Amino acid sequence: MSPEGRGIAGERLQASPHGWSPGEVTGGNTFRILHVSTGNVCRSPITERLTRHALSHRLGGFVTGDLIVESAGTWGHEGAPMEANAAAVLADFGADASGFTGRELLDEHVIRADLVLTATRDHRAQVVSMGHSAGLRTFTLKEFTRLVRAIDPATLPPLDEGMVERARALVRAAAALRGWLLAPTPDADEVYDPYGAPITFFRSIGDEINQALDPVVTALTGVTASR
C-alpha cells in the first residue's frame, strides 16, 4: 500500500483554477479521513465513495490544501472487491465504485488518519484500542454527525485559511462536545451491517450513510448540497 492510500479516486484532491481534481501532491498539508467497518466490502466502501462523491460536487478552487479519503476493515478482506449490492447503491447516488479493493485495518492507517469514522461503537472501540492517541479523533459516523450539527460554523476557521485547518478545528470541536451531547439511545450511533442482505436493505443503509455524511461535508466545505 502506498503512503497515500487510495485517497480520492486513488489520489489526493488539490486546488486548481477549475476546482478540486485528482492530481499531484502540492505539499505536506493534508487531512486524512479513514472510514472503518468490518470487512471493508460494504459499509466503509459505501461511506468512502459517497464522501468522495459529495466532496467532488461541493469543493471549489478557492479551497487550499489536500484531502484524502480512504477506508479499511477491522477484519478486512484484503484485496477483495466491493460487494455487488454496495456498488449498486453507489450507482444509485451517481458515485463511482470502480477500482476499489478491500484492505485490513493496520496501525499505519490509524497513525496517519486525522479523523476516523466507524460504522459502529465496536469498531470505534477497536480503533481506540490500537493506541496511537486515536481516542480524540475517532467517532462513529452517526456520532460525529450529531456532534457536528451542534457546532456553529462561524466558530470554524474560514475557508480562505484552508480546508485542512477548518477540518482539524471541526474534529477538535466535536471531541470537546462528546461528553456533553450524548446519543438518545445506544443504537443511535450504529450503522448496521448489510452483508448478505437483499438490495433493499443495502439501499436503506446507503440512505442512512448519505444522510449522516451530508452535514459533515457541509461543515468541512461550507457548501450545502444542491437540492
Side-chain angles (χ1 to χ4, degrees):
M1 182 62 61
S2 67
E4 289 77 29
R6 281 177 304 220
I8 294 183
E11 297 174 340
R12 296 180 179 179
L13 285 183
Q14 70 176 60
S16 73
H18 304 291
W20 282 61
S21 58
E24 295 181 356
V25 176
T26 57
N29 191 28
T30 62
F31 186 88
R32 188 181 296 261
I33 302 172
L34 174 66
H35 293 293
V36 175
S37 63
T38 302
N40 195 214
V41 292
C42 297
R43 287 168 291 181
S44 52
I46 290 173
T47 315
E48 175 193 323
R49 294 307 177 92
L50 286 181
T51 304
R52 177 184 101 182
H53 181 69
L55 289 166
S56 69
H57 280 75
R58 299 199 211 181
L59 292 174
F62 60 92
V63 184
T64 60
D66 289 341
L67 180 66
I68 302 168
V69 182
E70 55 189 353
S71 63
T74 55
W75 291 87
H77 302 302
E78 191 73 31
M82 189 186 308
E83 280 288 298
N85 281 348
V89 167
L90 290 174
D92 290 343
F93 287 100
D96 183 15
S98 65
F100 182 90
T101 55
R103 62 180 188 173
E104 184 176 356
L105 180 68
L106 301 176
D107 288 79
E108 65 190 72
H109 304 144
V110 177
I111 291 168
R112 293 199 306 258
D114 296 285
L115 172 62
V116 184
L117 296 176
T118 69
T120 69
R121 292 167 295 159
D122 283 346
H123 296 134
R124 183 185 65 196
Q126 289 180 64
V127 172
V128 172
S129 73
M130 296 171 72
H132 316 303
S133 303
L136 291 177
R137 51 195 166 89
T138 304
F139 310 79
T140 74
L141 171 62
K142 288 186 174 181
E143 174 191 22
F144 193 67
T145 299
R146 184 178 68 254
L147 298 172
V148 164
R149 287 184 185 276
I151 297 169
D152 182 355
T155 64
L156 300 174
L159 287 172
D160 58 11
E161 292 183 13
M163 199 176 69
V164 168
E165 289 307 313
R166 184 181 177 93
R168 290 173 179 163
L170 184 68
V171 173
R172 291 193 298 269
L177 282 174
R178 191 186 335 234
W180 298 94
L181 193 61
L182 303 178
T185 66
D187 291 343
D189 287 340
E190 305 284 289
V191 175
Y192 291 108
D193 192 356
Y195 186 78
I199 186 63
T200 51
F201 188 63
F202 267 84
R203 287 193 167 116
S204 70
I205 293 299
D207 287 338
E208 276 187 44
I209 291 171
N210 190 59
Q211 289 174 26
L213 283 173
D214 180 68
V216 174
V217 176
T218 297
L220 285 171
T221 64
V223 181
T224 58
S226 57
R227 302 299 180 186

